[in-house]
């Protein structure tokens, strides 16, 4: 399932027809380019809409004619807003959470966490899912005592 998940994240970047049916891939490509334009620290939290619009005008793609306030991918959101450093910390926190949940044999929360991450990798995440995501991230650190 991890291989399937990763392939769905990577393969659209290599599809020559991307953006024809669904603009999500075009948004992802625009967001990736925006992250590359300011890779170390990103543009700051809450800057996605402005940055995507500016980058889409550089790329002359269809995103420039849309109002896009999310990259539709939580990892690209972190990359654009916080750069490689923030993305690395976010990935580390996620991997540490998976490790802690496996170590504690908390399979229910592990499946819930992986489900939320999967949803957040393909759609804008709602505040209710963000609250639960951060609750799981924090709860995985608590000891069983």
């Amino acid at each position: 399932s991890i291989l399937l998940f990763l392939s769905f994240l990577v393969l659209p970047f290599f599809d020559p027809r991307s953006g024809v049916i669904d603009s999500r891939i075009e948004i992802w490509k625009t967001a990736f380019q925006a992250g590359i334009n300011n890779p170390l620290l990103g543009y700051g939290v809450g800057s996605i809409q402005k940055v995507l619009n500016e980058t889409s005008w550089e790329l002359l793609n269809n995103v420039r004619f849309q109002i896009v306030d999310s990259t539709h991918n939580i990892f690209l959101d972190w990359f654009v807003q916080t750069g490689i450093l923030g993305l690395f910390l976010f990935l580390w926190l996620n991997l540490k959470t998976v490790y802690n949940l496996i170590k504690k044999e908390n399979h229910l929360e592990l499946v819930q966490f992986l489900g939320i991450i999967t949803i957040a990798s393909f759609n804008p995440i709602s505040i209710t899912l963000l609250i639960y995501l951060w609750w799981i991230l924090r709860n995985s650190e608590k000891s069983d005592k």
Side-chain angles (χ1 to χ4, degrees), residues 30-101:
T30 305
F32 185 74
Q33 182 60 47
I36 295 297
N37 290 346
N38 195 8
L40 192 58
L41 297 175
Y43 291 92
V45 176
S47 63
I48 290 178
Q49 185 172 344
K50 181 180 181 227
V51 170
L52 288 182
N53 186 293
E54 291 171 359
T55 307
S56 67
W57 280 98
E58 290 173 20
L59 299 174
L60 297 175
N61 62 22
N62 291 326
V63 176
R64 63 190 164 158
F65 303 118
Q66 303 171 23
I67 297 173
V68 180
D69 61 353
S70 170
T71 65
H72 295 75
N73 183 302
I74 195 166
F75 301 106
L76 282 174
D77 280 349
W78 276 82
F79 180 48
V80 171
Q81 295 180 100
T82 63
I84 291 172
L85 294 175
L87 178 62
F88 174 76
L89 290 173
F90 184 66
L91 288 171
W92 175 78
L93 183 60
N94 281 279
L95 292 173
K96 189 170 188 234
T97 298
V98 169
Y99 173 78
N100 288 340
L101 292 173

Side-chain angles (χ1 to χ4, degrees), residues 104 139 141-145:
K104 289 174 25 176
N139 197 41
E141 289 290 319
K142 292 182 179 179
S143 66
D144 290 330
K145 296 178 184 177

